[in-house]
Amino acid sequence: MNINDIKVDVNEQVDQIFNKTQALYQHLHQHPELSFAEQNTSERLAKELSDIGYEVTTKVGRTGVVAMLKNGDGPTIMLRGDMDALPIKEQTGLDYASQEVGKKDGRETAVSHACGHDMHSSCLVGAAEVLYNLKDSWSGTLMLICQPAEEVFGGAKAMLEDGLYERFGRPDVILGQHNMPGLAGTVGHRSGVAMAACTNLGVIIHGNGGHGSMPAQTIDPVVIAAHVVTRLQTIVSREVPPEETVVVTVGKLHAGTQANIIPHHAELEINVRSFNDQIHAQVVDAIHRIINAECEAGRSPKPPEITIMNDTISLDNDAATFESVRRAHADYFGAENIYEVPKLNGSEDFPLFGNASVGGFDGADIPSLYWFVGSTPAARWEETEGNTVVEKMRNLEMPHSPYYFPGNPTTLRTGIETLVVGALNYLPSLAAELA
């Protein structure tokens, strides 16, 4: 479909549904829910999509929602939005800031949408209504996904394991997006690898505790853990080719209760990120090797317990899909509002939907594309130090900050329009067929 032929119609439709979508956004922002606990969120989104006219199925992959609109012959276009929040206390000062609490690992915690998944869900619903209202101009099938648990890399896998494609059909192309600290009204694209693979490991190192005054009668897991932390830093410097980007972070190290007690065990959590899935696997193997070797060297009474808490592959945008959607976005928003986004070391489970071997579905990989919608209002962007997107990003709040807020009207509107334009780019025009 030629986007320019329907641009006025899209603008008019977005105008009509914008206030409604903004109200939905503010509601979701005020009432966030943690990963796999999105009960109220999924119910609200399901109702919104059902009221528009979509055939809606809930509880797909625990709390996921699938909304289908079959509108004649044509391809199936999947649009994905995530909906879970984070265990972070919001500090934005908004009059609709979250006051919600939830439970994380059995402990009560403040909850907020510090990553903008409320924005993604709202944009998806807004785009759904625009596309429904324009259904006389296109043919094909829309498959809308409200995905749970992106923050723990669990939702995409859960929905796929629940028979997503077997139950609802296999899409021909998959489109998704994320907000980011770019100029509101602009859209960032990148062909190929755009986001990092990520693995989070949990480790328990066993010792033999006792009195701090008699270390010779103990096996100290704290010393072993300290050697592990230090040794892990040599993986990147001595085992990874210099041209590759890899980060190994020990984000958690916990042991003991007080100074004069040598504990029985130490706990670590390790985060690995890279842009090369093969290198990534080698780094994870090296982590296992080092932990086991240090435990043996430290006389640990039994092998360490190493578990993969969650993981995801790198996000690799299909080149042909990138070229097609980027061109459509440039036609709609103007080429000056489209830019090349840098590689981001953050991670997503979105690529599992398109990768057959990792996603666990039959057949070839499904072409997919993931782009970025600017979230910084123009005045703030202008006053932020830096000449490039990367330079300015370093001086702006990022997702997962308690001060991060992407919900300005320009970003919300742009996020609706990017999804609409992306879908229409692949849906055959009925006007063209009738001509």
Side-chain angles (χ1 to χ4, degrees), residues 25-164:
Y25 166 74
Q26 292 181 0
H27 172 83
L28 295 178
H29 186 86
Q30 194 168 20
H31 302 287
E33 295 174 295
L34 294 172
S35 302
F36 285 129
E38 311 96 337
Q39 302 292 345
N40 294 327
T41 302
S42 62
E43 288 178 11
R44 174 64 183 266
L45 294 172
K47 184 180 187 306
E48 294 280 344
L49 291 164
S50 179
D51 288 349
I52 292 169
Y54 286 74
E55 182 179 343
V56 177
T57 304
T58 59
K59 300 180 180 178
V60 181
R62 295 170 63 176
T63 51
V65 178
V66 178
M68 303 293 297
L69 178 60
K70 298 179 180 179
N71 190 38
D73 296 334
T76 296
I77 310 304
M78 174 173 151
L79 304 179
R80 175 270 204 175
D82 42 15
M83 56 183 179
D84 56 327
L86 289 159
I88 295 175
K89 182 172 178 57
E90 183 171 352
Q91 302 287 346
T92 62
L94 294 168
D95 56 5
Y96 55 92
S98 169
Q99 302 297 324
E100 298 289 339
V101 295
K103 285 205 170 177
K104 176 75 172 176
D105 299 328
R107 298 180 179 179
E108 192 172 271
T109 177
V111 182
S112 68
H113 270 298
C115 199
H117 293 187
D118 49 348
M119 170 71 67
H120 304 161
S121 298
S122 302
C123 289
L124 187 69
V125 172
E129 187 160 7
V130 171
L131 289 164
Y132 183 89
N133 293 340
L134 293 174
K135 66 182 185 297
D136 289 342
S137 66
W138 60 266
S139 62
T141 297
L142 287 172
M143 179 179 184
L144 309 185
I145 305 296
C146 301
Q147 184 207 304
E150 185 280 329
E151 295 293 357
V152 296
F153 305 143
K157 183 177 181 181
M159 296 188 81
L160 288 165
E161 289 181 345
D162 201 13
L164 178 65

Side-chain angles (χ1 to χ4, degrees), residues 140-401:
T141 297
L142 287 172
M143 179 179 184
L144 309 185
I145 305 296
C146 301
Q147 184 207 304
E150 185 280 329
E151 295 293 357
V152 296
F153 305 143
K157 183 177 181 181
M159 296 188 81
L160 288 165
E161 289 181 345
D162 201 13
L164 178 65
Y165 295 156
E166 292 81 4
R167 295 167 62 184
F168 303 100
R170 177 188 171 103
D172 294 289
V173 66
I174 304 169
L175 305 176
Q177 62 184 6
H178 203 292
N179 61 91
M180 69 169 289
L183 174 61
T186 65
V187 184
H189 279 278
R190 187 177 187 88
S191 183
V193 175
M195 298 185 75
C198 177
T199 300
N200 291 310
L201 301 100
V203 181
I204 299 177
I205 293 174
H206 298 283
N208 184 17
H211 201 287
S213 67
M214 295 177 284
Q217 296 178 26
T218 71
I219 297 173
D220 192 342
V222 178
V223 174
I224 299 172
H227 281 288
V228 166
V229 172
T230 303
R231 182 73 178 182
L232 289 179
Q233 305 312 309
T234 67
I235 296 174
V236 175
S237 65
R238 290 297 176 267
E239 299 189 39
V240 174
E243 66 272 14
E244 296 289 345
T245 300
V246 176
V247 175
V248 177
T249 298
V250 180
K252 174 183 175 181
L253 173 54
H254 176 78
T257 56
Q258 66 183 47
N260 63 345
I261 301 173
I262 294 174
H264 278 287
H265 68 274
E267 299 178 10
L268 299 88
E269 290 186 7
I270 304 166
N271 175 261
V272 184
R273 295 181 190 267
S274 71
F275 295 112
N276 182 316
D277 290 333
Q278 182 178 357
I279 293 291
H280 192 88
Q282 293 174 10
V283 171
V284 173
D285 286 345
I287 290 171
H288 280 77
R289 184 191 75 238
I290 286 170
I291 294 171
N292 279 287
E294 291 293 350
C295 286
E296 183 177 353
R299 300 179 298 118
S300 185
K302 58 181 177 179
E305 299 174 39
I306 307 173
T307 58
I308 294 179
M309 301 162 60
N310 49 61
D311 63 348
T312 187
I313 57 175
S314 60
L315 192 153
D316 192 352
N317 282 324
D318 176 70
T321 310
F322 159 81
E323 290 291 347
S324 183
V325 176
R326 187 186 186 282
R327 189 181 309 114
H329 282 166
D331 288 344
Y332 185 88
F333 295 103
E336 69 279 7
N337 291 313
I338 309 299
Y339 66 95
E340 182 179 42
V341 73
K343 281 185 180 180
L344 299 175
N345 220 25
S347 304
E348 256 280 357
D349 65 356
F350 173 82
L352 272 68
F353 287 117
N355 188 298
S357 61
V358 181
F361 54 88
D362 294 332
D365 292 347
I366 303 172
S368 62
L369 181 69
Y370 194 80
W371 61 81
F372 299 87
V373 179
S375 63
T376 307
R380 177 75 193 283
W381 185 259
E382 187 64 29
E383 70 185 18
T384 299
E385 186 177 350
N387 297 315
T388 66
V389 172
V390 173
E391 290 173 354
K392 286 181 178 287
M393 281 175 60
R394 292 176 183 147
N395 296 299
L396 290 165
E397 297 85 6
M398 296 292 291
H400 294 216
S401 162

